[in-house]
């Protein structure tokens, strides 16, 4: 096992984790926290927050960085929207983040299931803010419309990495298509905050990151997150670089100077990590 | 009353963890929430918190040891 830099340290309290796991198991819910083996799980579960993952826990794509299971997809659970709404209520969430596996096998890519989940959450939790982290739905506008029309507060779609690394990191995705998703959402519903996130340490150069930032700003992206890629196992892509906290601070400074409304940048930052902070910041600024 | 501190399952696919640091030594008092030890996994180093108040009675492995998930790594002496 590779020795980690001293800044990659997280907290773990088994009692707090078990409490959240019990709620999730009772309601038959998945989280990307668990499925992707997120290092922040201990901290987030301790605060009784989690990022739900709908449409099963098996993905139809094979991205080289991701720990989520691949293989035989699961049947979509029609109870899931209601169960998720109940979990959000039981956890007392003020801001809920919902993501999914990519379901290229479904005609609408799972868009209706996203919309049903947003609706169910809102009915049971009227004051809650809702953020969805969506796949690209193959860039199909009708499917994006279904999610947009459900009016979440934030639509996040991650670019994940710079253009030159797509073949290795995200072979079944497309850089321009992902930019299109962000552009389309902003054009269709300007009041919905758009968000994207990338990992660094995969072999990108700083110049490529700045170019990506410019591309995202050109399509009206509001919020940007950037974190260290961590290798889930030896079957996944190697870490090419442990980017320093100082470099992350520079990415944040430059991202904000370029014009993002909010930038979250740090080794352990993930697109859904402390997601409510971006929304609170944006609300405070008016 | 003895409470056994175990190697936690920090991720779904974790089978073993490497203990990289002991933050407490035998005889130290431990409060709920104190970090007792640190474990290195594939991704990060996790600071494992105590879920009990007590005194660290015994440490059963050394820094650098690779330990199976759920194996006992330390013993806490807690009040009834």
């Amino acid at each position: 096992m590779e020795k980690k830099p001293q800044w990659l340290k997280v907290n773990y309290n088994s009692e707090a984790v078990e409490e959240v796991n019990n709620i999730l198991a009772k309601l038959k819910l998945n989280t990307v926290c668990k499925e992707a083996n997120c290092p922040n799980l201990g901290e987030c579960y301790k605060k009784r927050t989690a990022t739900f993952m709908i449409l099963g826990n098996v993905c139809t794509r094979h991205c080289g960085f991701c720990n989520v299971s691949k293989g035989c997809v699961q049947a979509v659970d029609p109870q899931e929207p209601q169960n998720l709404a109940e979990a959000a209520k039981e956890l007392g969430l003020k801001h809920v983040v919902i993501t999914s596996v990519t379901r290229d096998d479904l005609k609408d890519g799972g868009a209706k299931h996203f919309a049903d989940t947003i609706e169910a959450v809102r009915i049971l939790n009227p004051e809650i803010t809702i953020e969805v982290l969506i796949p690209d739905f193959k860039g199909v506008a009708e499917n994006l419309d279904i999610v947009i029309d459900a009016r979440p507060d934030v639509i996040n779609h991650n670019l994940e990495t710079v253009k030159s690394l797509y073949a290795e990191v995200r072979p079944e995705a497309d850089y321009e298509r992902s930019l299109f998703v962000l552009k389309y959402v902003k054009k269709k519903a300007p009041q919905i905050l758009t968000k994207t996130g990338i990992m660094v340490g995969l072999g990108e150069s700083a110049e490529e990151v700045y170019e990506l930032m410019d591309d995202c700003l050109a399509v009206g992206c509001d919020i940007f997150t950037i974190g260290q890629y961590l290798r889930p196992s030896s079957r996944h892509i190697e870490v090419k670089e442990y980017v320093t906290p100082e470099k992350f601070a520079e990415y944040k400074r430059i991202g904000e100077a370029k014009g993002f409304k909010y930038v979250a940048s740090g080794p352990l930052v993930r697109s859904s990590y402390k997601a409510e902070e971006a929304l609170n910041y944006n609300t405070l600024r008016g | 009353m003895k409470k056994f501190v175990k190697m936690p399952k920090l991720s779904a696919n974790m089978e073993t963890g490497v203990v990289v640091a002991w933050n407490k030594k035998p005889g130290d008092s431990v409060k709920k929430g104190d970090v007792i030890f640190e474990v290195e996994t594939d991704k990060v180093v996790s600071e494992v918190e105590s879920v009990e108040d007590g005194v660290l009675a015994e440490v059963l492995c050394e820094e650098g040891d690779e330990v199976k998930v759920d194996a006992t790594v330390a013993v806490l002496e807690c009040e009834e």
Side-chain angles (χ1 to χ4, degrees), chain A residues 256-269:
Chain A
E256 283 171 348
K258 281 181 180 288
F260 287 111
K261 290 197 173 72
Y262 188 85
V263 176
S265 176
L268 291 164
V269 165

Side-chain angles (χ1 to χ4, degrees), chain B residues 6-78:
Chain B
K6 313 235 171 154
M7 173 61 72
K9 195 173 169 87
L10 298 166
S11 68
N13 13 350
M14 180 181 171
E15 289 175 8
T16 62
V18 175
V19 175
V20 290
W22 281 102
N23 297 51
K24 298 277 185 184
K25 55 187 191 307
D28 284 351
S29 80
V30 173
K31 278 209 290 295
K32 204 167 165 171
D34 283 354
V35 175
I36 308 185
F37 65 107
E38 297 177 14
V39 178
E40 184 143 20
T41 63
D42 280 314
K43 284 195 173 185
V44 291
V45 171
S46 264
E47 294 179 329
V48 182
E49 288 183 1
S50 178
V51 297
E52 306 275 0
D53 291 334
V55 172
L56 188 60
E58 225 182 319
V59 159
L60 298 171
C61 62
E62 290 173 359
E63 286 179 17
D65 284 350
E66 188 171 351
V67 176
K68 278 207 179 111
V69 163
D70 230 29
T72 302
V73 296
V75 182
L76 274 186
E77 194 64 59
C78 304

Side-chain angles (χ1 to χ4, degrees), chain A residues 100-121:
Chain A
S100 74
V101 290
T102 298
R103 291 297 299 260
D104 290 326
D105 60 306
L106 297 173
K107 190 154 183 277
D108 71 349
K112 174 88 180 16
H113 197 71
F114 260 103
D116 290 344
T117 305
I118 292 165
E119 203 182 299
V121 166

